């Protein structure tokens, strides 16, 4: 644990923040603009993982384990969420034979 | 705490009971279980019991909200006896998922740590994603489910990133410690913390469907099975606002100025968009989605007028709103059955001719939502306005009162339909139990409005 923590601290904190923000933005753009549902799900995961990376970096810089424990919770919840998401995609695929997000337009005002 | 454990076990028991293929025992078991949960929660009243290194605190605030949510769920399950009798498969799962969602709701009312808030929101949301897609063969239900899932996860990602930023600055997840950390800046927060707090608030605002983060709610409400919609509009809303209030109260007060401005803009937009968009709806479920957004605006108004009585007003408002909304959805399901699955407002035509008593109580419930005396809906709105005006927010209060007047129009559109003659003659079947629920809720709304103006907290 000590070695990992010091290994993380070789890179300055600013770089971690930059990387996480970049990952988060890539994920955000992907969710907004990709048309394939599977790609959208992957981008959502990317957004979760950017938060994980940030938490881990902060946690070792503060030498406070709570942040890394939280990362485990996030990973478990993200896994559960993606399981549900993929099953919803399967359910949709059975009905319309496609995973294009543009098909989701039956409900509108 | 025992209530939290008991609901989890109850959900698992219900899942196993599903193996027996005996649908008739599910509802009684679920309702008995919830009644036991109610008693277990009430036993903790006044104890302020803390668990898991103070990550969860069951104080009077959380118990009061838990009890109100349990009561609403019991009403939904009482109707479920009839509703799920017609469904072929997976009835046990429906009950179990609602109970699991309720467990998440309990966590959301009792957290004092951001980890618990996150877990509560997710335990509430994940069962709801599945429930929204309950009608597997219907593409509308699939679409509702997927939209809810995608925007829900999207909001969660924002929420998590916000938590990470706040954690980076303050090195803690405990809300009281975050409050102490924020206090040392005297309002001039560093940008990282400010962005973090804003992201957290956006994440929670998505979950409670406050404008401008409300896009998903009309679509999801329309596509989801109606009983699930009733659950989302009431229990989930209550839990979300309880969590929102607790977050602001425990961690963020006094609110940093940019955050406070953002929250006031959300309040104004919810009132405006909710009420104006509801005017042009012809689908009952969409109408109620926008009405829920409008009510969120009033609740936000109560929440932001920071005063000791805010929590009590919040509880009263959410409870009264839920108590009127659930039976209206029940009536809607019954009327929809009689009109071959149509969902427009016109299906209410001729309800007075066919079922005069049900029509009268429907009117009372709608009048309560519109906020006309002597119903509880009026008292709830009145208390919100008194609170916000006494705290000096005059302009937004006047705006809210005007919007409440706009709200009367679309509720009375439904009332007008009830009392018009119609030519289609399908009989509306209302079982004794369902009629009992509707009438009891109608009476409760009036009694609360006349005699009980304050719920203890």
């Amino acid at each position: 644990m000590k070695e990992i923590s010091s290994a993380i601290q070789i890179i300055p904190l600013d770089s971690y923040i930059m990387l996480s923000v970049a990952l988060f933005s890539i994920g955000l753009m992907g969710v907004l603009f990709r048309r394939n549902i599977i790609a959208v799900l992957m981008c959502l995961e990317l957004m979760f993982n950017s938060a994980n990376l940030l938490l881990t970096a902060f946690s070792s810089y503060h030498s406070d384990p709570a942040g890394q424990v939280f990362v485990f919770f996030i990973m478990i919840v993200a896994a559960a969420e993606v399981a549900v998401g993929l099953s919803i995609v399967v359910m949709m695929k059975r009905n319309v034979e496609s995973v294009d997000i543009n098909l989701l337009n039956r409900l509108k005002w | 705490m025992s209530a939290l454990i008991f609901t989890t076990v109850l959900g698992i028991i219900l899942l196993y009971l599903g193996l027996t293929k005996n649908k008739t025992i599910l509802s009684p078991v679920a309702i008995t279980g919830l009644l036991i949960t109610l008693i277990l929660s009430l036993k903790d009243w006044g104890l302020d019991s803390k668990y898991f290194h103070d990550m969860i605190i069951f104080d009077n605030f959380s118990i009061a909200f838990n009890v109100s949510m349990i009561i609403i769920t019991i009403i939904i399950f009482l109707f479920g006896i009839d509703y799920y009798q017609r469904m072929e498969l997976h009835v046990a799962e429906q009950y179990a998922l609602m109970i699991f969602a309720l467990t998440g709701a309990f966590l959301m009312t009792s957290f004092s740590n951001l980890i618990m808030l996150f877990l509560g929101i997710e335990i509430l949301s994940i069962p709801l994603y599945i429930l929204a897609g309950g009608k597997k063969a219907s593409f509308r239900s699939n679409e509702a489910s997927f939209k809810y899932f995608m925007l829900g996860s999207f909001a969660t990602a924002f929420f998590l990133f916000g938590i990470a930023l706040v954690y980076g600055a303050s090195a803690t997840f405990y809300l009281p410690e975050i409050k102490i950390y924020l206090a040392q800046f005297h309002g001039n927060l560093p940008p990282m913390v400010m962005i973090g707090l804003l992201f957290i608030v956006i994440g929670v605002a998505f979950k409670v469907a406050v404008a401008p983060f409300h896009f998903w709610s009309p679509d999801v409400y329309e596509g989801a099975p109606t009983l699930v919609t009733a659950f989302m509009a009431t229990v989930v809303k209550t839990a979300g606002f309880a969590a929102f209030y607790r977050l602001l109260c425990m961690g963020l007060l006094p609110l940093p100025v940019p955050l406070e401005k953002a929250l006031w803009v959300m309040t104004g937009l919810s009132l405006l968009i909710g009420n104006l968009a509801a005017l042009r709806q012809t689908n009952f479920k969409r109408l109620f989605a926008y009405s829920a957004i409008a009510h969120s605006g009033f609740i936000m108004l109560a929440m932001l007028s920071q005063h000791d009585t805010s929590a009590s007003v919040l509880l009263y408002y959410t409870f009264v709103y839920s108590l009127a909304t659930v039976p209206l959805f029940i009536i809607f399901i019954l009327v929809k059955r009689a009109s071959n699955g149509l969902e427009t407002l016109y299906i209410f035509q001729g309800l007075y001719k066919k079922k005069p008593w049900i029509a009268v109580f429907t009117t009372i419930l709608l009048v309560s939502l519109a906020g006309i005396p002597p119903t509880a809906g009026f008292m709830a709105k009145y208390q919100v306005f008194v609170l916000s005006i006494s705290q000096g927010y005059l302009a937004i209060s006047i705006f809210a009162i005007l919007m409440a007047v706009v709200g009367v129009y679309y509720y009375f559109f439904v009332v007008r339909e009830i009392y018009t003659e119609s030519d289609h003659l399908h009989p509306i079947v209302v079982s004794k139990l369902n009629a009992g629920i509707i009438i009891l809720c109608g009476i409760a709304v009036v009694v609360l409005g006349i005699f009980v103006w304050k719920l203890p907290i």
Side-chain angles (χ1 to χ4, degrees):
Chain A
M1 184 65 204
K2 259 282 185 283
E3 300 90 69
I4 299 172
S5 217
S6 52
I8 288 175
Q9 290 182 24
I10 294 170
I11 303 171
L13 186 57
D14 283 359
S15 315
Y16 284 111
I17 298 178
M18 298 283 192
L19 179 61
S20 307
V21 171
L23 282 179
F24 189 79
S25 316
I26 294 168
L28 181 69
M29 289 298 137
V31 172
L32 293 179
F33 297 117
R34 290 302 294 264
R35 301 281 60 145
N36 186 314
I37 289 177
I38 305 292
V40 170
L41 283 179
M42 283 158 68
C43 290
L44 276 174
E45 281 299 292
L46 201 58
M47 286 170 83
F48 281 128
N49 283 332
S50 74
N52 283 349
L53 176 66
L54 201 55
L55 278 168
T56 320
F58 279 136
S59 156
S60 62
Y61 267 86
H62 288 308
S63 30
D64 170 41
Q68 297 184 26
V69 173
F70 191 21
V71 169
F72 280 106
F73 281 108
I74 297 176
M75 276 152 72
I76 292 163
V77 166
E81 218 166 53
V82 150
V84 169
L86 283 174
S87 56
I88 293 170
V89 175
V90 170
M91 187 169 76
M92 273 167 54
K93 178 98 183 357
R94 284 197 184 134
N95 281 335
V96 290
E97 286 300 316
S98 162
V99 287
D100 191 334
I101 216 160
N102 287 331
L103 284 168
L104 299 171
N105 58 2
R106 313 261 168 112
L107 299 169
K108 59 174 108 158
W109 65 333
Chain B
M1 186 63 193
S2 40
L4 196 67
I5 297 169
F6 191 80
T7 40
T8 320
V9 175
L10 179 64
I12 297 168
I13 291 173
L14 283 169
L15 275 181
Y16 276 104
L17 279 180
L19 295 175
T20 61
K21 308 273 179 214
N22 185 356
K23 279 191 285 185
T24 46
I25 59 167
L26 289 170
S27 208
V29 170
I31 291 164
T32 331
L34 282 177
L35 285 173
I36 295 170
T37 319
L38 191 72
I39 294 161
L40 288 177
S41 325
L42 283 174
K43 266 174 61 185
D44 283 351
W45 183 263
L47 290 181
D48 272 8
S49 24
K50 298 172 177 175
Y51 299 96
F52 304 132
H53 295 275
D54 298 357
M55 288 212 270
I56 296 180
I57 302 176
F58 279 98
D59 46 13
N60 286 358
F61 174 87
S62 63
I63 291 167
F65 273 95
N66 289 353
V67 167
S68 98
M69 288 186 296
I70 294 170
I71 292 171
I72 299 299
T73 318
I74 290 175
I75 297 175
I76 291 176
F77 280 179
L78 277 176
F79 180 67
I81 297 175
D82 172 45
Y83 183 76
Y84 285 126
Q85 212 40 249
R86 292 157 185 259
M87 274 179 62
E88 299 299 314
L89 287 165
H90 310 305
V91 179
E93 281 85 340
Q94 301 265 348
Y95 282 113
L97 286 171
M98 278 199 210
I99 299 271
F100 287 142
L102 194 65
T103 314
F106 290 169
L107 268 184
M108 281 170 77
T109 56
S110 53
F111 65 93
S112 73
N113 184 309
L114 288 172
I115 300 180
M116 284 299 144
L117 174 59
F118 168 71
L119 286 181
I121 288 181
E122 288 306 305
I123 296 174
L124 176 82
S125 301
I126 294 177
L128 280 175
Y129 301 148
I130 307 169
L131 281 173
K135 286 187 263 172
K136 276 201 263 182
S138 142
F139 187 69
R140 284 182 355 138
S141 180
N142 295 350
E143 182 179 339
S145 173
F146 186 76
K147 276 185 177 166
Y148 194 24
F149 164 75
M150 210 185 79
L151 291 169
S153 314
F154 194 57
T156 308
F158 270 93
F159 181 68
L160 282 177
F161 204 75
I163 290 180
L165 289 175
V166 171
Y167 172 72
S170 65
T172 178
F173 291 119
Y174 283 94
L175 285 170
E177 290 175 26
I178 290 176
K179 191 173 190 168
I180 294 166
Y181 172 78
L182 294 178
Q184 70 188 35
F185 292 107
H186 301 291
N188 294 318
L189 295 180
M192 186 167 92
V193 185
M194 201 57 245
I195 294 171
L197 291 180
L198 211 57
F199 274 20
I200 292 178
V201 167
I202 287 175
V204 181
F206 247 111
K207 291 287 169 189
V208 293
V210 176
F213 308 108
H214 68 282
F215 327 98
W216 58 271
S217 88
D219 289 356
V220 173
Y221 279 32
E222 189 189 341
T226 312
L227 207 57
V228 177
T229 310
F231 188 77
M232 283 199 280
T234 54
V235 174
V236 177
K237 203 102 179 161
T238 311
F241 273 109
F244 210 158
Y245 181 78
R246 211 174 158 91
L247 177 71
L248 295 185
C249 209
M250 283 186 97
L252 310 182
L253 285 184
L255 288 174
V257 179
L259 196 63
E260 194 176 5
K261 276 185 187 152
L263 284 170
W264 280 118
V265 169
M266 285 182 201
T267 312
L269 277 178
S270 305
L271 288 168
L272 188 72
I273 295 176
N275 280 307
L276 292 189
L279 289 179
R280 47 171 292 187
Q281 299 305 322
T282 50
N283 181 307
F284 183 85
K285 278 153 112 179
R286 285 191 97 79
L287 175 73
F288 266 74
Y290 282 108
S291 125
I293 295 166
H295 282 287
S296 306
F298 293 109
I299 299 172
M300 289 278 285
L301 191 61
M303 205 163 68
L304 291 177
S305 317
Q306 303 134 16
H307 189 262
D308 298 340
T309 56
S310 280
S312 158
V313 174
L314 193 68
L315 176 68
Y316 189 79
Y317 200 109
T318 47
F319 184 61
V320 164
Y321 161 76
S322 310
L323 205 58
T325 306
V326 169
L328 280 172
F329 271 108
I330 293 174
I331 295 160
F332 168 69
I333 294 172
L334 298 172
V335 176
K336 183 180 154 187
R337 256 181 217 161
S339 52
N340 301 326
L342 282 178
E343 291 191 343
T344 55
L345 296 176
Y346 303 106
I347 58 174
F348 282 94
Q349 279 178 0
L351 182 63
Y352 181 69
K353 259 262 158 19
K354 292 172 202 158
K355 295 273 174 200
W357 278 107
I358 299 293
V360 167
F361 279 98
T362 314
T363 315
I364 291 174
L365 295 167
L366 283 165
V367 160
S368 171
L369 279 182
I372 294 169
T375 54
F378 167 74
M379 274 323 293
K381 281 208 175 73
Y382 173 75
Q383 287 186 36
V384 170
F385 296 144
V386 166
L387 186 65
S388 64
I389 291 173
S390 72
Q391 294 301 102
Y393 302 111
L394 196 61
I396 187 101
S397 305
I398 292 171
F399 178 67
I401 292 170
L402 285 177
M403 283 300 146
V405 176
V406 175
V408 174
Y409 174 80
Y410 56 82
Y411 291 120
F412 272 71
F413 190 82
V414 183
V415 174
R416 194 189 71 194
E417 295 301 320
I418 289 172
Y419 292 97
T420 32
E421 299 281 323
S422 85
D423 37 3
H424 70 92
L425 293 166
H426 295 288
I428 295 169
V429 186
V430 185
S431 73
K432 281 210 177 78
L433 178 66
N434 294 340
I437 303 169
I438 293 162
I439 289 169
L440 257 178
C441 288
I443 292 170
V445 160
V446 175
V447 169
L448 276 175
I450 297 175
F451 299 109
V452 189
W453 297 351
K454 227 181 188 73
L455 295 171
I457 214 163

